[in-house]
Amino acid sequence: MNGISTILLLFVSNVFMTFAWYGHLKLQQMNVFTDNTPLYVVILLSWMLALPEYACQVPANRIGFIGNGGVFSLMQLKIIQEVISITVFTFFALFVFRNQTLHWNHIAAFACLILAVYFVFKE
Protein backbone atom coordinates (compact mmCIF):
# COMPACT_ATOMS: atom_id res chain seq x y z
CA MET A 1 0.00 0.00 0.00
CA ASN A 2 2.93 2.36 0.68
CA GLY A 3 4.06 1.98 -2.92
CA ILE A 4 0.66 2.93 -4.35
CA SER A 5 0.28 5.85 -1.94
CA THR A 6 3.74 7.06 -2.87
CA ILE A 7 3.04 6.94 -6.60
CA LEU A 8 -0.33 8.68 -6.24
CA LEU A 9 1.18 11.44 -4.10
CA LEU A 10 4.03 11.86 -6.59
CA PHE A 11 1.52 12.13 -9.42
CA VAL A 12 -0.51 14.84 -7.62
CA SER A 13 2.71 16.61 -6.66
CA ASN A 14 3.86 16.67 -10.27
CA VAL A 15 0.55 18.06 -11.51
CA PHE A 16 0.98 21.01 -9.13
CA MET A 17 4.66 21.32 -10.04
CA THR A 18 3.93 21.43 -13.77
CA PHE A 19 1.31 24.13 -13.32
CA ALA A 20 3.64 26.10 -11.02
CA TRP A 21 6.53 25.91 -13.50
CA TYR A 22 4.70 26.27 -16.81
CA GLY A 23 1.13 27.41 -16.09
CA HIS A 24 2.11 31.07 -16.07
CA LEU A 25 3.19 30.71 -19.71
CA LYS A 26 -0.30 29.55 -20.66
CA LEU A 27 -1.84 32.34 -18.58
CA GLN A 28 0.35 34.79 -20.49
CA GLN A 29 -0.90 33.34 -23.79
CA MET A 30 -4.46 33.78 -22.52
CA ASN A 31 -3.68 37.41 -21.59
CA VAL A 32 -4.30 36.78 -17.90
CA PHE A 33 -0.72 37.89 -17.41
CA THR A 34 0.66 40.53 -19.71
CA ASP A 35 4.23 41.49 -20.49
CA ASN A 36 3.71 44.23 -17.89
CA THR A 37 2.82 41.79 -15.10
CA PRO A 38 5.63 42.11 -12.56
CA LEU A 39 7.78 39.01 -12.32
CA TYR A 40 7.40 38.92 -8.54
CA VAL A 41 3.62 38.45 -8.98
CA VAL A 42 4.19 35.47 -11.27
CA ILE A 43 6.76 34.05 -8.83
CA LEU A 44 4.44 34.45 -5.84
CA LEU A 45 1.59 32.72 -7.67
CA SER A 46 3.95 29.91 -8.69
CA TRP A 47 5.07 29.55 -5.08
CA MET A 48 1.45 29.29 -4.00
CA LEU A 49 1.13 26.31 -6.37
CA ALA A 50 4.45 24.92 -5.19
CA LEU A 51 3.21 24.66 -1.59
CA PRO A 52 0.67 21.89 -2.33
CA GLU A 53 3.32 20.32 -4.56
CA TYR A 54 5.69 20.05 -1.61
CA ALA A 55 2.82 18.99 0.66
CA CYS A 56 2.49 15.90 -1.56
CA GLN A 57 6.14 15.39 -2.55
CA VAL A 58 7.63 15.27 0.94
CA PRO A 59 5.10 12.76 2.34
CA ALA A 60 5.43 10.65 -0.82
CA ASN A 61 9.16 10.35 -0.28
CA ARG A 62 8.79 9.67 3.44
CA ILE A 63 6.10 7.05 2.95
CA GLY A 64 7.85 5.38 0.02
CA PHE A 65 11.43 5.38 1.32
CA ILE A 66 12.63 1.97 2.43
CA GLY A 67 14.33 3.52 5.45
CA ASN A 68 10.91 4.61 6.74
CA GLY A 69 9.17 1.29 6.10
CA GLY A 70 8.41 2.00 2.45
CA VAL A 71 9.25 -0.13 -0.53
CA PHE A 72 11.53 2.12 -2.62
CA SER A 73 15.20 2.98 -2.42
CA LEU A 74 16.26 6.59 -2.81
CA MET A 75 17.32 5.97 -6.42
CA GLN A 76 14.03 4.24 -7.22
CA LEU A 77 12.05 7.15 -5.76
CA LYS A 78 13.92 9.62 -7.94
CA ILE A 79 13.53 7.63 -11.15
CA ILE A 80 9.80 7.11 -10.45
CA GLN A 81 9.41 10.84 -9.83
CA GLU A 82 11.19 11.72 -13.07
CA VAL A 83 9.03 9.38 -15.15
CA ILE A 84 5.86 10.73 -13.54
CA SER A 85 7.12 14.29 -14.05
CA ILE A 86 7.83 13.82 -17.75
CA THR A 87 4.51 12.00 -18.23
CA VAL A 88 2.52 14.79 -16.57
CA PHE A 89 4.49 17.41 -18.49
CA THR A 90 3.87 15.65 -21.81
CA PHE A 91 0.11 15.63 -21.26
CA PHE A 92 0.27 19.25 -20.10
CA ALA A 93 2.21 20.31 -23.20
CA LEU A 94 -0.06 18.41 -25.58
CA PHE A 95 -3.44 19.24 -24.05
CA VAL A 96 -2.95 22.64 -22.43
CA PHE A 97 -0.66 24.29 -24.96
CA ARG A 98 -2.15 22.39 -27.93
CA ASN A 99 0.46 23.80 -30.32
CA GLN A 100 3.08 21.34 -29.11
CA THR A 101 3.57 18.10 -30.99
CA LEU A 102 5.08 14.81 -30.01
CA HIS A 103 7.92 13.69 -32.28
CA TRP A 104 9.80 10.41 -32.62
CA ASN A 105 12.72 11.70 -30.56
CA HIS A 106 10.38 12.55 -27.67
CA ILE A 107 9.02 9.01 -27.76
CA ALA A 108 12.57 7.62 -27.91
CA ALA A 109 13.53 9.72 -24.88
CA PHE A 110 10.48 8.47 -23.02
CA ALA A 111 11.45 4.89 -23.88
CA CYS A 112 14.88 5.58 -22.38
CA LEU A 113 13.18 6.70 -19.17
CA ILE A 114 11.17 3.49 -19.10
CA LEU A 115 14.44 1.61 -19.47
CA ALA A 116 15.82 3.66 -16.57
CA VAL A 117 12.94 2.42 -14.42
CA TYR A 118 13.65 -1.13 -15.49
CA PHE A 119 17.34 -0.86 -14.65
CA VAL A 120 16.83 0.91 -11.32
CA PHE A 121 14.56 -1.92 -10.16
CA LYS A 122 16.84 -4.67 -11.46
CA GLU A 123 18.79 -6.41 -8.70
Side-chain angles (χ1 to χ4, degrees), residues 98-117:
R98 300 233 184 237
N99 61 343
Q100 301 295 309
T101 55
L102 200 57
H103 298 285
W104 73 267
N105 57 324
H106 302 138
I107 295 166
F110 196 72
C112 289
L113 286 172
I114 299 301
L115 284 172
V117 171

Side-chain angles (χ1 to χ4, degrees), residues 1 6 12 19 40 47 51 57 75 84 89 117:
M1 191 63 177
T6 297
V12 172
F19 276 98
Y40 75 88
W47 279 356
L51 180 61
Q57 178 79 21
M75 293 296 190
I84 292 170
F89 175 79
V117 171

Side-chain angles (χ1 to χ4, degrees), residues 17-75:
M17 178 191 72
T18 301
F19 276 98
W21 285 8
Y22 303 103
H24 62 92
L25 299 174
K26 183 62 177 180
L27 292 176
Q28 190 175 23
Q29 282 183 347
M30 296 169 57
N31 293 321
V32 174
F33 293 141
T34 66
D35 291 339
N36 296 330
T37 303
L39 186 56
Y40 75 88
V41 170
V42 176
I43 291 169
L44 288 174
L45 290 173
S46 291
W47 279 356
M48 289 171 56
L49 284 171
L51 180 61
E53 185 251 327
Y54 278 97
C56 294
Q57 178 79 21
V58 172
N61 287 327
R62 283 190 162 232
I63 292 167
F65 182 54
I66 203 161
N68 292 335
V71 295
F72 302 118
S73 71
L74 193 61
M75 293 296 190

